[in-house]
Amino acid sequence: MSQLYRTTAPEGIIQRPLDSMTLIFQKSSGITHMIADPVPAILEVMAEDSLTARDVAQRLAVSYDLEDSENAADVVLARLAELCTLGLVEQV
Amino acid sequence: MAGLHHLYLTVGPARFRVASTWRQPLDQLAALYKDYPASQGGYADFTVRLEPEKPWRRYIRPSVHISGDFWLPDAAPLPLSQCLLAAEMGMNLQMALGWRRHLLLHASSVEKDGKALLMTGLSGSGKSTLSAMLAEKGWRFMGDEFALLNPDTGMVHSFPRLISLKNEAIAAMQAILPDSRFGPLLTGTPKGDIRHIIPPLDAVKRMADTAKPALLLFPRFGYDPVLRDMGKSEIFVRLTQASTNYVALGETGFQALTKFVDRVPTKAMDYQSGEQAEELIDSLWSQL
């Protein structure tokens, strides 16, 4: 849980919320990602900071009413791992 | 390209050079495209080549292999009797794989009062037939295959090729159009029977006129008539599937398509007859 993460080149992505989904266009790869909750919120609270999954969960708890706050960090960690695979987030 | 016959065609913003071993496809194209503007200075965006699969297949059971600037390695050759289809497929292929000036949507489009109605869907959805039918009822035909979306202006550009009718749609249009508007009946093609229609003269004369996209429909033939709302996510995904150059255009394509999805009212439309579709379209159009 002490691993730090940050978003990769925030200026290198374009976000467009649609209905229940958000589109992310990644300029470096030319790939369009379609993401659902809570991923847009995770990227938003991370901003340009380097954070652990627990930090991200705490920031989310400030803005959102989390259903299962105890396991929130685990959920965030799983999403961060997926975002790393996509190249939208990197380990610091 | 020694030994090949040539024909130059301008359709909307695209100029084609069709080069063929045989005169037959070029003569058919020349007759069907006779009202289209002539090429200027022999310049072309794309070359389509229609040649025998093997040298002896020029004469013995002649088969037409489609190639050109862009080609698919596994495209099956067509018999010479279907050479018109080969030429049309060749031109489509160049657009689908090579065109970069617009975001290409696999959709038919018609225009009224400067506003465009786009219809997209899988083969068999009826988008070609509906566009052909509306073109005879006060709409300007803009294309039955590709709608060209200008990423800078958001306007739709016309690409009014011949209208390609398949199977049952042929008889439906034969009932309302004179024989002089039809190309030859091509039987036993990979898509069944195909017959091309020459678009109305107005569509050809005004093919440089753009239109503002005002309504997008996903028609589906053979179901009880109904209009359904669609989520923007679904619309976006289906349009990326309907675009042959979305990925190639990169950020430009993303910006153009997201703007389009944001701004253009969209419905799924089920229908069982042309009359039903026309009624549904008129009701939507009057509310724009």
Side-chain angles (χ1 to χ4, degrees):
Chain A
M1 270 304 174
S2 60
Q3 175 66 53
L4 290 170
Y5 295 88
R6 69 174 171 216
T7 54
T8 49
E11 71 283 355
I13 63 167
I14 308 168
Q15 287 201 46
R16 289 272 185 282
L18 290 176
D19 34 31
S20 58
M21 309 287 273
T22 297
L23 297 175
I24 292 186
F25 182 77
Q26 192 174 17
K27 294 183 186 178
S28 58
S29 64
I31 293 173
T32 306
H33 302 283
M34 201 166 216
I35 56 174
D37 285 343
V39 177
I42 290 174
L43 293 174
E44 187 191 335
V45 300
M46 287 180 79
E48 296 181 32
D49 302 330
S50 296
L51 302 169
T52 64
R54 205 179 302 281
D55 296 334
V56 174
Q58 281 169 0
R59 288 193 180 188
L60 284 172
V62 173
S63 312
Y64 300 90
D65 186 14
L66 301 184
E67 282 176 13
D68 185 359
S69 52
E70 287 198 0
N71 292 324
D74 292 334
V75 173
V76 168
L77 188 61
R79 297 292 86 78
L80 287 173
E82 290 166 0
L83 288 167
C84 281
T85 308
L86 297 177
L88 293 169
V89 163
E90 62 189 1
Q91 295 185 346
V92 181
Chain B
M1 286 192 277
L4 294 179
H5 305 282
H6 291 87
L7 179 75
Y8 289 84
L9 284 177
T10 302
V11 185
R15 284 159 287 195
F16 299 93
R17 175 195 298 118
V18 185
S20 170
T21 303
W22 306 272
R23 273 239 54 98
Q24 184 181 340
L26 302 187
D27 289 344
Q28 289 181 338
L29 285 174
L32 295 167
Y33 283 94
K34 69 180 169 51
D35 293 316
Y36 285 64
S39 166
Q40 295 164 350
Y43 175 78
D45 296 291
F46 298 118
T47 295
V48 176
R49 295 169 70 108
L50 306 173
E51 295 169 289
E53 188 190 8
K54 298 275 188 297
W56 57 89
R57 294 297 288 270
R58 177 174 184 173
Y59 303 106
I60 304 166
R61 284 185 292 117
S63 69
V64 185
H65 177 251
I66 307 165
S67 66
D69 298 327
F70 297 87
W71 51 281
L72 295 174
D74 52 355
L78 293 170
L80 186 59
S81 59
Q82 296 172 12
C83 59
L84 174 63
L85 177 63
E88 289 285 312
M89 284 170 67
M91 287 193 281
N92 273 347
L93 198 62
Q94 305 311 307
M95 288 299 284
L97 299 180
W99 193 253
R100 295 289 183 268
R101 277 185 258 163
H102 304 94
L103 181 69
L104 228 108
L105 297 175
H106 190 219
S108 66
S109 52
V110 290
E111 176 261 357
K112 200 187 261 186
D113 303 326
K115 294 183 292 187
L117 159 65
L118 280 73
M119 293 174 280
T120 184
L122 300 173
S123 187
S125 65
K127 60 184 187 303
S128 270
T129 314
L130 287 176
S131 67
M133 187 195 76
L134 293 171
E136 304 303 319
K137 304 204 172 185
W139 298 71
R140 172 170 66 103
F141 175 79
M142 293 184 76
D144 83 324
E145 186 77 19
F146 295 126
L148 311 177
L149 184 65
N150 186 319
D152 298 324
T153 63
M155 300 292 274
V156 176
H157 291 242
S158 181
F159 185 62
R161 279 179 347 126
L162 302 180
I163 304 165
S164 168
L165 295 179
K166 296 176 197 81
N167 304 316
E168 295 81 13
I170 298 171
M173 290 307 293
Q174 277 173 332
I176 59 171
L177 286 181
D179 210 44
S180 58
R181 289 278 301 281
F182 287 87
L185 175 66
L186 308 172
T187 55
T189 79
K191 291 184 174 180
D193 292 351
I194 289 184
R195 200 164 183 197
H196 294 92
I197 305 182
I198 302 170
L201 190 57
D202 177 56
V204 177
K205 296 278 182 223
R206 294 180 55 204
M207 68 185 187
D209 295 358
T210 60
K212 187 178 177 187
L215 180 63
L216 170 67
L217 291 177
F218 285 84
R220 197 168 63 143
F221 178 70
Y223 295 85
D224 286 342
V226 69
L227 292 168
R228 279 177 285 113
D229 289 327
M230 296 170 68
K232 285 194 188 301
S233 304
E234 185 189 355
I235 298 166
F236 182 85
V237 169
R238 290 185 63 176
L239 287 177
T240 58
Q241 292 165 343
S243 173
T244 55
N245 66 358
Y246 169 75
V247 172
L249 289 190
E251 186 179 342
T252 303
F254 177 78
Q255 300 282 16
L257 194 59
T258 49
K259 264 186 214 155
F260 182 91
V261 171
D262 257 345
R263 293 176 185 175
V264 181
T266 300
K267 296 274 187 191
M269 179 182 77
D270 291 355
Y271 69 103
Q272 286 171 320
S273 70
E275 291 73 28
Q276 281 174 359
E278 202 184 345
E279 249 175 58
L280 294 170
I281 289 167
D282 283 346
S283 71
L284 285 172
W285 199 254
S286 63
Q287 294 164 32
L288 291 177

